[in-house]
């Protein structure tokens, strides 16, 4: 295919003369779209490295990318990073299990019953609007400074997104679908199982993605509470010695874990929602 495109000959010009008039067109990059997304981050990292080598960025302000990679490799080989990572993963998984269970149960109660909404929704909305950090002193007084307040904070952070999105998804199911289910003879249990819950599943999966992000953010706060292990402890310990390279390594671990969790939910979404026209078309 030619990189130029012919334009109509102006009035008064012969066809042979018009053949020389060409309009240039923009050529698309040969790189695949998935690789083009990483071009701008790569340029930023290269500029960061160049500024560090030129002395424009002091190591105490922000370590160079090469120094960060070397520190990450050293922490991995020594086993320090994997051990802290396992502790943080355990806290997140425990908090997620509690938070998702509570959020789903409360959303079902409030979404499937008017009385349940009157009982559950108002307290949940009040708790949701409270400043998250303001609850930390109370959690310390109630649960001490062990693992319980850390897991409780993660559970609290994960419960609200699931509750809100699932509740909205249940109430947003198309009434015509419910009416069609009744015409086919479905009772209330059948409607919930075959119509309402499948219809609310897309919203629930969106809530799960938000919940995973909130869980990691909550963990960052939770691991400030007298932690002796975990990625948050690693970051706090590095702060005392002005090790910006180790601090950035911990932040990158948080970011990569969040990105991996989001990719996992996307995969589940593609499988569970394969019946949606948009996904079938893709």
């Amino acid at each position: 295919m030619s990189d130029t495109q012919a334009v109509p000959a102006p009035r008064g010009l012969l066809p042979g003369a018009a053949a020389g008039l060409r309009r240039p067109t923009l050529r698309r990059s040969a790189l695949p779209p998935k690789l083009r997304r990483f071009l701008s981050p790569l340029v930023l990292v290269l500029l960061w490295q160049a500024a560090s080598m030129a002395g424009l960025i002091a190591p105490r302000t922000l370590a160079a990318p090469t120094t960060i990679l070397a520190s990450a490799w050293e922490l991995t080989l020594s086993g320090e990073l994997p051990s802290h990572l396992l502790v943080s993963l355990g806290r997140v998984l425990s908090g997620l299990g509690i938070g998702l269970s509570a959020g789903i149960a409360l959303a079902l109660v409030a979404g499937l019953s008017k009385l349940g909404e009157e009982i559950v929704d108002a307290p949940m909305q009040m708790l949701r609007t409270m400043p998250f950090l303001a609850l930390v002193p109370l959690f310390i007084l109630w649960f001490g400074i062990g693992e319980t307040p850390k897991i409780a904070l993660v559970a609290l952070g994960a419960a609200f997104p699931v509750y809100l999105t699932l509740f909205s998804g249940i109430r947003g199911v198309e009434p015509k679908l419910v009416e069609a289910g009744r015409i086919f003879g479905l009772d209330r249990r059948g409607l919930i199982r075959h119509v309402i819950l499948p219809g609310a599943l897309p919203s629930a999966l969106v809530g799960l993605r938000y919940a995973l992000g909130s869980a990691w953010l909550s963990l960052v706060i939770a691991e400030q509470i007298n932690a002796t292990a975990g990625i948050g402890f690693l970051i706090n310990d590095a702060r005392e010695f002005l090790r910006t390279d180790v601090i950035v390594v911990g932040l990158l671990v948080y970011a990569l874990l969040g990105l991996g969790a989001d990719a996992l939910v996307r995969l589940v979404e593609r499988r569970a929602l394969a019946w949606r026209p948009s996904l079938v078309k893709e």
Side-chain angles (χ1 to χ4, degrees):
M1 185 176 178
S2 175
D3 291 338
T4 59
Q5 183 177 351
V7 296
R11 184 175 299 179
L13 287 180
L14 296 176
L21 297 175
R22 302 289 180 180
R23 182 175 60 193
T25 57
L26 296 176
R27 299 182 63 181
R28 290 189 177 182
S29 174
L31 290 174
K34 291 184 178 179
L35 292 180
R36 289 202 300 266
R37 295 178 59 188
F38 294 98
L39 285 178
S40 55
L42 180 60
V43 171
L44 290 176
V45 171
L46 292 176
L47 292 175
W48 175 9
Q49 179 66 33
S52 298
M53 294 176 65
L56 299 177
I57 301 178
R60 286 192 175 187
T61 303
L62 185 62
T66 52
T67 305
I68 293 169
L69 289 176
S71 299
W73 181 250
E74 180 182 348
L75 289 170
T76 302
L77 289 181
S78 66
E80 189 176 358
L81 184 60
S83 63
H84 289 300
L85 178 59
L86 287 176
V87 173
S88 294
L89 283 175
R91 289 168 180 159
V92 166
L93 291 177
S94 300
L96 269 176
I98 298 171
L100 294 180
S101 300
I104 291 172
L106 292 171
L108 291 176
V109 171
L112 298 174
S113 167
K114 190 65 177 176
L115 178 61
E117 179 185 1
E118 294 173 355
I119 296 174
V120 172
D121 191 60
M124 289 294 290
Q125 297 298 338
M126 291 171 62
L127 287 173
R128 181 180 66 86
T129 55
M130 285 186 181
F132 197 74
L133 289 175
L135 297 174
V136 174
L138 275 178
F139 276 40
I140 294 175
L141 290 175
W142 291 344
F143 306 118
I145 54 175
E147 290 297 304
T148 304
K150 301 175 179 61
I151 295 174
L153 282 172
V154 175
L156 189 67
F160 293 119
V162 174
Y163 169 80
L164 291 172
T165 53
L166 182 55
F167 173 76
S168 176
I170 291 173
R171 291 302 176 91
V173 172
E174 181 63 41
K176 293 181 179 179
L177 294 177
V178 178
E179 187 63 29
R182 287 174 179 159
I183 292 174
F184 282 102
L186 293 177
D187 57 4
R188 178 175 173 79
R189 181 177 297 180
L191 286 173
I192 293 173
R193 180 180 177 183
H194 297 290
V195 178
I196 296 177
L197 292 183
L201 184 58
S203 297
L205 289 174
V206 172
L208 179 59
R209 292 174 63 185
Y210 279 117
L212 288 170
S214 298
W216 287 112
L217 291 175
S218 304
L219 181 67
V220 175
I221 299 172
E223 289 186 334
Q224 313 296 317
I225 306 174
N226 196 40
T228 57
I231 301 299
F233 167 77
L234 186 67
I235 292 175
N236 282 334
D237 189 58
R239 181 190 61 188
E240 298 295 330
F241 297 97
L242 303 177
R243 292 288 305 275
T244 58
D245 53 340
V246 178
I247 293 174
V248 176
V249 168
L251 295 176
L252 287 175
V253 169
Y254 278 132
L256 291 175
L257 287 173
L259 187 64
D262 187 75
L264 181 61
V265 177
R266 284 176 178 267
L267 179 61
V268 173
E269 188 178 41
R270 286 193 182 94
R271 299 293 178 85
L273 304 180
W275 48 269
R276 289 199 306 178
S278 59
L279 291 180
V280 172
K281 193 176 296 183
E282 290 175 2

